[in-house]
C-alpha cells in the first residue's frame, strides 16, 4: 500500500516555487484546442488532472506535443474542429475536465461518453446537465442524470439566461463554453463570485465576454485564435507551504511567482484575520492574472475566526489546510455555508473531521461545515487520505507539528495536483 511516514519539523526555511496552477493549465489546454492555430503553453502543470485534459483533447483529434518539460504546444482546430472519439473519454479524477468538456461537447455534432475514477463517478453532474439541456443539449447521466458516466450527443444550442444555484467555477465555465456556439448572448449569474480564470483568459483567445456584478455574458459565434499563455504558480498548492511555515516555529519561507487572483486568495484574508505573519510582495501580471511572492514567518499564535457565506468559494480548495491551522489557533474556528465541500474529490468535511480526531483534535462536524477547537497538541497517528490530494497534503502539514510518527495512507494521490510535494517539503524542512 502506498503510504508515507512523517515526523515533526524544527523549521521550514528557504525559497519555494509552487507548481503551475491547475485550473489555469486545464483552461489553457481547453481554449487552445478549440482555437484555430498554434498555442504555446508555458509552465504547464504536468500532473494527473491536467494530463487527463490533454488525453481527452488528443482523443478528440487535437495534436498536442510536449517540447520541453513544462511547455506544451497545442495545434487547435477551431470551435467546430473536434472529432468524434473512438472510445469513452476517461477524465480520471478530474471534475474540471469532465464539467468544462461537457459544455463544449454538447454543441459538437457527434457522440461522446465521459467517465472517470470511483471518486469522479460519485460527483454531481446534474448541475451541469440542467443548463445545457435548457440550451437544447442532448445529455444524460447515470442514476437519473445525477452522476457520470455522461452520454452526450452534440446538437445546435440556443443562448439562455441562467441563474446558478451554487457558486461553482466549473459550472459557470461549462455554460460559458457552450455559449460560444449559438447565436446571441448567453448570460449566467452566480450567487457569490467564484474563480474567474475563464472570464479572464477566454477573451484573450477572441471570445466576447462581459462581466457585470454577479453576471457573466458571452456572445456566440466568435472565432477563437491560438495564442501563447504563461501559467502562474498555483495558490492552492502554495497554501500548504504557507500553512507549514506559519505553524512550525522559526520558519521563514518565500513563495515565488504564485497566482494571487482575488477570487482564489480568500485564504490570505482569513490568515490576516487570524493574525498571521504573511506579506504579499512584488505584485505583477502574467497572462492577465496577478502574480506575487509571499513571505511567511512562523511561530506566531494565530487567533480562531469565523468563515461563512461569500468567503467560502474564495477559499474552497483551502478548507482542509485551514482545518489544520484552526487546530493550532487560539479559541474556536468555525466554518459554515460550506456544504459544497462534501462533494469534492472526497467528502472533505467528513474526511478532515475524522482524521483530525485521530490526531487528538476536538471538533464538531455539521452538515454545512465544522467548528474546531484550537491549541491542540497533535499526537501522530495512522491517517487516511481517501485518495484526495488536498487531504493528503493537509495531513502532511499536520504531521510537522505532531508528536511521534504520522503515517498517511494512499499518499501518492498528491500526484493529482502536486507531484513532487513530499520532495519539496523534505527540501525545506530543517530537523535536529
Ligand atoms: C475549479 C473549481 C472549483 C475547485 C476545483 C477547480 C475550476 O470547483 O474546487 O478544484 O478549475 O474551475 P467547483 O466549481 O465545483 O466549486
Amino acid at each position: 500500500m502506498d503510504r508515507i511516514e512523517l515526523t515533526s519539523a524544527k523549521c521550514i526555511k528557504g525559497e519555494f516555487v509552487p507548481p503551475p496552477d491547475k485550473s489555469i493549465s486545464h483552461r489553457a489546454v481547453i481554449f487552445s484546442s478549440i482555437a484555430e492555430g498554434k498555442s504555446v503553453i508555458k509552465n504547464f502543470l504536468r500532473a494527473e488532472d491536467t494530463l487527463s485534459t490533454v488525453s481527452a483533447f488528443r482523443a478528440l483529434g487535437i495534436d498536442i506535443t510536449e517540447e520541453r518539460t513544462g511547455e506544451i504546444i497545442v495545434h487547435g482546430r477551431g470551435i467546430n474542429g473536434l472529432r468524434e472519439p473512438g472510445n469513452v473519454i476517461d477524465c480520471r479524477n478530474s471534475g474540471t475536465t469532465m464539467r468544462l468538456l461537457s459544455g463544449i461537447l454538447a454543441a459538437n455534432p457527434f457522440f461522446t461518453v465521459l467517465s472517470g475514477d470511483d471518486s469522479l463517478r460519485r460527483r454531481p453532474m446534474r448541475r451541469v446537465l440542467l443548463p445545457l439541456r435548457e440550451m437544447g443539449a442532448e445529455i444524460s447521466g447515470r442514476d437519473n442524470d445525477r452522476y457520470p458516466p455522461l452520454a452526450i450527443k452534440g446538437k445546435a444550442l440556443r443562448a439562455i439566461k441562467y441563474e446558478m444555484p451554487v457558486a461553482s467555477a466549473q459550472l459557470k465555465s461549462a455554460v460559458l463554453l457552450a455559449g460560444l456556439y449559438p447565436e446571441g448572448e448567453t448570460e449566467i449569474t452566480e450567487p457569490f463570485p467564484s474563480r474567474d480564470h475563464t472570464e479572464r483568459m477566454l477573451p484573450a483567445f477572441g471570445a466576447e465576454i462581459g462581466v457585470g456584478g454577479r453576471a457573466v455574458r458571452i456572445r456566440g459565434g466568435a472565432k477563437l485564435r491560438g495564442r501563447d499563455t504563461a501559467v502562474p504558480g498555483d495558490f492552492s498548492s502554495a497554501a500548504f507551504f504557507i500553512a507549514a511555515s506559519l505553524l512550525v516555529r522559526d520558519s521563514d519561507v518565500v513563495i515565488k511567482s504564485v497566482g494571487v487572483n482575488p477570487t482564489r486568495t480568500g485564504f490570505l484574508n482569513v490568515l490576516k484575520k487570524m493574525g498571521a505573519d504573511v506579506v504579499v510582495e512584488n505584485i505583477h501580471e502574467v497572462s492577465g492574472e496577478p502574480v506575487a511572492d509571499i513571505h511567511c514567518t512562523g511561530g506566531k499564535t494565530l487567533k480562531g475566526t469565523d468563515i461563512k457565506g461569500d468567503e467560502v468559494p474564495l477559499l474552497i480548495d483551502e478548507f482542509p489546510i485551514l482545518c489544520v491551522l484552526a487546530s493550532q489557533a487560539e479559541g474556536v474556528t468555525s466554518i459554515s455555508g460550506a456544504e459544497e465541500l462534501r462533494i469534492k474529490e472526497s467528502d472533505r468535511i467528513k474526511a478532515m473531521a475524522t482524521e483530525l480526531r485521530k490526531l487528538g483534535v476536538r471538533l464538531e462536524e455539521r452538515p454545512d461545515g465544522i467548528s474546531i477547537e484550537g491549541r491542540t497538541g497533535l499526537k501522530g497517528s495512522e491517517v487516511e487520505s481517501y485518495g484526495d490530494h488536498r487531504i493528503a497534503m493537509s495531513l502532511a502539514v499536520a504531521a510537522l507539528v505532531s508528536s511521534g510518527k504520522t503515517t498517511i495512507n494512499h499518499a501518492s494521490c498528491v500526484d493529482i495536483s502536486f507531484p513532487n510535494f513530499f520532495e519539496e517539503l523534505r527540501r525545506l524542512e530543517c530537523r535536529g
Side-chain angles (χ1 to χ4, degrees), residues 22-23 26-27 96 99-100 123 127 167-171 173 195 316-317 340 344-345 348 390:
K22 182 158 86 67
S23 289
H26 278 299
R27 284 164 173 77
T96 307
R99 293 192 175 126
L100 270 60
R123 297 186 66 189
R127 54 179 60 192
S168 158
Q170 292 177 355
L171 168 54
S173 303
R195 65 190 65 188
I316 193 74
D317 291 339
E340 276 291 299
K344 292 289 173 189
E345 287 86 323
R348 286 184 173 159
R390 301 202 201 279

Side-chain angles (χ1 to χ4, degrees), residues 120-391:
L120 185 56
R121 280 185 283 107
R122 285 194 298 264
R123 297 186 66 189
M125 292 297 151
R126 188 182 267 155
R127 54 179 60 192
V128 180
L129 267 53
L130 290 178
L132 292 179
R133 275 198 189 141
E134 219 175 293
M135 296 177 85
E138 208 178 305
I139 175 167
S140 41
R142 181 177 69 83
D143 193 8
N144 202 14
D145 296 332
R146 282 192 183 87
Y147 304 112
L150 301 181
I152 307 172
K153 179 80 177 60
K155 285 173 75 174
L157 303 182
R158 54 181 170 269
I160 57 164
K161 271 194 175 28
Y162 192 73
E163 188 95 30
M164 286 165 56
V166 284
S168 158
Q170 292 177 355
L171 168 54
K172 174 175 61 176
S173 303
V175 177
L176 288 174
L177 286 166
L180 281 169
Y181 291 84
E183 257 180 40
E185 203 172 70
T186 293
E187 182 183 291
I188 181 149
T189 307
E190 303 191 83
F192 301 127
S194 66
R195 65 190 65 188
D196 65 357
H197 303 305
T198 298
E199 299 90 300
R200 283 174 185 256
M201 198 195 287
L202 203 45
F205 284 84
E208 272 184 58
I209 291 190
V211 182
R214 290 180 294 108
V216 187
R217 281 173 293 278
I218 185 160
R219 182 160 290 283
K223 195 165 166 165
L224 304 190
R225 291 200 181 282
R227 58 163 288 131
D228 298 352
T229 309
V231 180
D234 197 321
F235 181 82
S236 297
S237 298
F240 301 105
F241 283 79
I242 297 176
S245 44
L246 295 177
L247 289 180
V248 181
R249 281 157 140 273
D250 303 325
S251 294
D252 194 328
V253 176
V254 177
I255 301 170
K256 305 289 281 183
S257 303
V258 56
V260 288
N261 178 320
T263 59
R264 292 287 296 280
T265 53
F267 182 63
L268 287 181
N269 305 337
V270 170
L271 290 179
K272 215 171 273 167
K273 286 202 282 183
M274 295 176 91
D277 257 337
V278 177
V279 179
V280 178
E281 51 203 15
N282 185 23
I283 303 176
H284 57 287
E285 208 175 278
V286 173
S287 295
E289 292 277 348
V291 174
D293 299 334
I294 301 179
H295 187 177
C296 308
T297 327
K300 198 163 162 192
T301 304
L302 304 179
K303 296 189 291 282
T305 185
D306 283 351
I307 300 144
K308 49 182 176 293
D310 58 354
E311 289 176 285
V312 175
L314 309 182
L315 50 72
I316 193 74
D317 291 339
E318 285 60 73
F319 169 84
I321 190 62
L322 198 53
C323 290
V324 175
L325 282 168
S327 77
Q328 302 305 297
E330 211 154 57
V332 175
T333 295
S334 185
I335 305 173
S336 50
E339 43 280 278
E340 276 291 299
L341 290 160
R342 295 209 177 266
I343 48 171
K344 292 289 173 189
E345 287 86 323
S346 69
D347 175 342
R348 286 184 173 159
I349 299 179
K350 186 168 170 207
M352 286 314 292
T354 310
E355 302 314 302
L356 284 180
R357 275 196 183 115
K358 288 183 191 164
L359 299 175
V361 180
R362 284 152 57 107
L363 53 88
E364 186 206 342
E365 182 187 345
R366 293 184 308 276
D368 74 330
I370 198 166
S371 290
I372 297 177
E373 276 182 37
R375 304 301 312 248
T376 308
L378 302 180
K379 291 186 297 292
S381 176
E382 182 171 338
V383 289
E384 177 55 53
S385 74
Y386 304 89
D388 183 331
H389 52 138
R390 301 202 201 279
I391 302 292

Side-chain angles (χ1 to χ4, degrees), residues 81-92:
L82 301 176
R83 282 202 302 261
E84 184 173 77
N87 204 344
V88 172
I89 292 183
D90 185 359
C91 303
R92 299 198 287 178

Side-chain angles (χ1 to χ4, degrees), residues 51-69:
L51 291 175
S52 296
T53 294
V54 168
S55 5
F57 279 95
R58 282 188 176 140
L60 290 160
I62 302 299
D63 176 18
I64 303 176
T65 52
E66 197 173 341
E67 284 299 287
R68 313 178 221 134
T69 317

